[in-house]
Amino acid sequence: MYQFKALFKKELRIYFNSPIAYIFAISFLVFSTWLFFRFFFLQGQVEMRSFFGILPWLFLFFLPALSMRLWSEEYRQGTIEVLFTSGISEWKAVAAKYLASVTLLLSLLLLTALLPISISFLGNLDWGVVLLSYLGAFLLGAAYLSIGLWASALTSNQIVAFILGILSIFGVYIVGHSMVTFSLPAKLASIFQMISLSSHYESISRGVLDTRDLIYFVSIILLFGGLNVYLLIKKR
Amino acid sequence: MIEVKNLSKHYGSFVALDAISFQAAKGQITALLGPNGAGKTTTMKIITGFLNPTGGQVLIGEQDLSRHRLNIQKKIGYLPENAPLYPELSVDEHLDLALEIHNIYGEEAVKHKKKVLQRCALEDRRYFLISELSKGYKQRVALAQAIIHDPEILVLDEPTTGLDPNQIADIRALIKDLGKNKTIILSTHIMQEVEAMADQVVLIDHGKIVVAGSTDTIRSTHPELMCFRLVIKGKSTLVKSCLSKVKTIVETQKVAEVEKGVFQYLVSAESDIRRDLNKAILANEELELWEMSLEKQSMEDIFHQLTNFHS
């Protein structure tokens, strides 16, 4: 546990000692707020649907930027040698890095809470749907980060890790989209929908909490976490 | 005590290490010596458990490294090549990280930290970010984090690179001091380093051990060349032509001008030729022999003999 704690703390320190975390948070808030209010005043309804609709696309570019350096910089600087010669197992290191990035995601989502709070003064906001959508957004972001962290372990170049992360997440996100599935046989289409991030995210944002969606997100996180550990062990 | 048995490492068809075996005892400093690319770093990465060997075994205190890797690693302090550090952290935060990873907290942590800051002469840079430090300071931070938890075993990959001459002397003294009650393996391609610190040398070239043993044993078992130091007054061209007549001389080198017209030479030969040297010089009236002595053969000479260093 002490090893996990030490590494977790180190990752957060690196985020906050460098400008990464601040630039990241500010630009994310500026983008999301601007996009939200653009639609909000057009629609004239007190609801957050448009915000949660654009979130997967904002996350697609912002979250891989958060995870890209986690392994690739360790390779590039050579610090991975110190890390994996001090008696730390691969899965503990993966968990520490992953949860540090998830902590940043969580604080980011908390900062966006100013949006629903401010529009709730304008009318009657359905807090149940908003909270559930937040849960969905958190799970979606957590899955993105797991994929992004795995992509970061593929290369010692941050930019390559960033692009690989975006491509991989995009792939898992759109496989269930109707544009992909319309030409497929029904059986295959339903499988594609089952493994797609988008269908599970949309079903939560609609305001329905299904345990299958929860299980899906946890499995994706564990799957890419497992692949990440495997990749590190193979490099030894 | 570290025992390396038939260790091999292949990268595809490239053989980086070819069945090397040696031992490193507690209280001794073992130097892995060899030209660049000989396999020193690979050996160290395997001993620290960072890389898996293709074949062979590493025993640390009779425990098999491949089976008890994580536990053994807690007893090892490792300074990798080029002193890798996190540029975003400060020296202080770096040492905290090393302490926390080894579960050292509170008063004990403060004590350990104070000691290494002082031993590695880092007190005046304690709150600097790593990215603001010079190469020499980075090297010392990396060494500090390797020794901060007082490990039984120290593996140091080229510990004095990037340091200035004064710092080199300090760090060598520190390593020597640490070596009294730890098992230390260090790598280097600098001969003086071996002579200054090591009790035992493992000479590696092209992934194979060329020779291994204590520095004294290696010297006595490789007496192939003898080296003489001469101080002669007279023209050096004359000296050279004069000495060229002496049999078994391998090389004559003019080293320095001691006084005006007086030069120091190093002559290496395959046998003791002091008598012949004497005769040859005295036979020439224009030359005066001021000094002659038999030099202890340096490890450097042996190193050059045993590896094709310049090829």
Side-chain angles (χ1 to χ4, degrees):
Chain A
M1 195 60 198
Y2 60 89
Q3 292 172 329
F4 170 84
K5 210 173 111 193
L7 281 184
F8 179 76
K9 208 167 130 189
K10 178 211 101 185
E11 292 305 337
L12 284 184
R13 254 192 182 145
I14 290 181
Y15 276 133
F16 288 102
N17 275 12
S18 62
I20 307 174
Y22 308 102
I23 292 179
F24 182 81
I26 290 169
S27 47
F28 183 83
L29 287 178
V30 167
F31 272 116
S32 57
T33 312
W34 189 76
L35 287 171
F36 169 67
F37 278 113
R38 227 172 68 106
F39 290 110
F40 179 75
F41 289 118
L42 279 176
Q43 279 175 333
Q45 280 178 326
V46 182
E47 56 159 32
M48 294 278 290
R49 273 236 311 270
S50 66
F51 175 75
F52 289 106
I54 52 166
L55 217 45
W57 302 102
L58 274 181
F59 276 179
L60 180 61
F61 292 95
F62 273 89
L63 294 184
L66 209 56
S67 58
M68 64 180 183
R69 46 160 295 286
L70 288 171
W71 286 117
S72 58
E73 273 298 283
E74 298 264 7
Y75 292 140
R76 201 177 65 83
Q77 301 282 356
T79 42
I80 187 120
E81 282 188 47
V82 180
L83 185 65
F84 285 135
T85 54
S86 47
I88 295 171
S89 62
E90 279 82 3
W91 72 264
K92 254 185 210 166
V94 169
K97 279 174 182 287
Y98 177 66
L99 290 176
S101 66
V102 168
T103 307
L104 242 70
L105 167 70
L106 199 62
S107 22
L108 199 68
L109 285 175
L110 283 176
L111 286 175
T112 65
L114 286 171
L115 290 177
I117 291 170
S118 55
I119 62 166
S120 68
F121 293 112
L122 301 173
N124 206 358
L125 185 67
D126 186 345
W127 278 101
V129 175
V130 169
L131 287 179
L132 210 55
S133 300
Y134 262 111
L135 176 68
F138 173 70
L139 289 171
L140 183 77
Y144 278 23
L145 284 173
S146 181
I147 301 173
L149 184 61
W150 163 79
S152 174
L154 292 171
T155 165
S156 59
N157 184 321
Q158 292 196 53
I159 305 301
V160 175
F162 176 62
I163 293 167
L164 284 177
I166 292 179
L167 287 176
S168 315
I169 293 165
F170 183 67
V172 186
Y173 187 76
I174 59 147
V175 284
H177 196 277
S178 51
M179 257 164 70
V180 176
T181 52
F182 81 96
S183 61
L184 296 170
K187 248 193 181 155
L188 210 57
S190 71
I191 292 175
F192 272 40
Q193 268 168 6
M194 215 167 71
I195 58 170
S196 155
L197 284 163
S198 59
S199 42
H200 293 274
Y201 173 65
E202 277 154 19
S203 102
I204 294 185
S205 348
R206 247 178 263 126
V208 193
L209 187 58
D210 190 333
T211 41
R212 273 177 303 180
D213 296 326
L214 279 179
I215 290 169
Y216 168 80
F217 280 112
V218 172
S219 322
I220 284 281
I221 290 164
L222 292 179
L223 172 70
F224 280 93
L227 286 174
N228 199 336
V229 171
Y230 171 75
L231 208 64
L232 293 169
I233 291 175
K234 230 184 72 183
K235 288 212 177 193
R236 261 218 318 268
Chain B
M1 163 94 169
I2 300 173
E3 205 177 342
V4 173
K5 285 183 182 170
N6 290 320
L7 211 60
S8 298
K9 180 76 186 176
H10 300 185
Y11 293 104
S13 62
F14 176 70
V15 180
L17 279 185
D18 190 4
I20 69 162
S21 305
F22 67 90
Q23 292 183 354
K26 192 180 170 180
Q28 281 206 332
I29 298 178
T30 303
L32 300 182
L33 179 68
N36 290 324
K40 298 174 302 229
T41 299
T42 307
T43 308
M44 302 190 122
K45 283 184 180 171
I46 294 173
I47 291 174
T48 52
F50 182 70
L51 285 179
N52 286 334
T54 313
Q57 198 182 24
V58 179
L59 294 177
I60 291 180
E62 305 195 342
Q63 278 188 316
D64 187 343
L65 177 66
S66 61
R67 251 183 256 159
H68 306 274
R69 185 171 59 93
L70 295 179
N71 273 329
I72 288 174
Q73 282 180 335
K74 289 174 189 164
K75 297 186 234 167
I76 298 181
Y78 177 38
L79 167 68
E81 205 176 7
N82 304 325
L85 299 163
Y86 300 105
E88 300 91 349
L89 297 184
S90 71
V91 174
D92 200 60
E93 288 170 333
H94 237 290
L95 298 180
D96 281 342
L97 171 66
L99 286 165
E100 285 163 17
I101 281 179
H102 292 99
N103 204 15
I104 303 170
Y105 282 92
E107 240 172 77
E108 207 191 340
V110 174
K111 217 172 69 193
H112 278 254
K113 190 152 75 176
K114 203 177 154 197
K115 198 168 152 196
V116 293
L117 282 170
Q118 188 250 323
R119 287 188 110 170
C120 298
L122 286 167
E123 285 136 321
D124 58 335
R125 292 289 191 281
R126 184 169 170 178
Y127 299 107
F128 280 55
L129 286 180
I130 298 295
S131 56
E132 299 165 343
L133 295 182
S134 69
K135 179 84 182 70
Y137 272 106
K138 283 183 192 161
Q139 186 73 22
R140 282 182 279 161
V141 177
L143 181 65
Q145 82 166 7
I147 63 174
I148 199 163
H149 57 295
D150 202 14
E152 291 168 37
I153 295 165
L154 268 181
V155 179
L156 311 170
D157 201 347
E158 305 200 351
T160 57
T161 45
L163 302 178
D164 67 39
N166 288 332
Q167 296 168 347
I168 289 181
D170 292 345
I171 293 298
R172 279 185 191 162
L174 171 60
I175 293 171
K176 246 194 126 142
D177 188 41
L178 290 166
K180 284 176 194 156
N181 46 23
K182 294 186 196 301
T183 313
I184 299 188
I185 295 184
L186 59 87
S187 78
T188 178
H189 55 259
I190 306 161
M191 287 308 310
Q192 292 92 311
E193 200 132 299
V194 177
E195 309 227 31
M197 290 189 282
D199 303 295
Q200 208 210 157
V201 186
V202 178
L203 183 53
I204 305 179
D205 194 21
H206 292 105
K208 283 185 185 147
I209 292 186
V210 182
V211 65
S214 75
T215 45
D216 292 333
T217 334
I218 290 182
R219 265 200 205 98
S220 62
T221 50
H222 291 271
E224 285 93 2
L225 285 186
M226 297 182 91
C227 188
F228 306 95
R229 194 177 59 83
L230 302 172
V231 178
I232 302 167
K233 187 178 177 185
K235 279 188 190 142
S236 57
T237 45
L238 203 59
V239 172
K240 290 223 168 148
S241 72
C242 197
L243 292 180
S244 64
K245 289 170 202 148
V246 180
K247 278 178 193 165
T248 80
I249 285 186
V250 179
E251 196 186 8
T252 305
Q253 250 187 303
K254 188 167 85 177
V255 191
E257 184 166 12
V258 184
E259 277 176 41
K260 201 171 165 21
V262 183
F263 299 97
Q264 193 186 94
Y265 303 86
L266 281 177
V267 176
S268 45
E270 285 164 10
S271 58
D272 192 347
I273 49 162
R274 273 176 282 190
R275 200 184 154 82
D276 300 335
L277 286 170
N278 229 325
K279 267 191 193 167
I281 294 158
L282 292 179
N284 195 318
E285 290 197 338
E286 287 173 51
L287 298 179
E288 276 175 45
L289 179 60
W290 284 27
E291 279 177 38
M292 172 154 66
S293 58
L294 175 63
E295 294 286 292
K296 207 170 157 189
Q297 191 184 17
S298 74
M299 287 303 296
E300 184 138 17
D301 302 326
I302 299 171
F303 181 60
H304 281 294
Q305 281 173 43
L306 294 175
T307 61
N308 33 0
F309 190 54
H310 294 292
S311 64

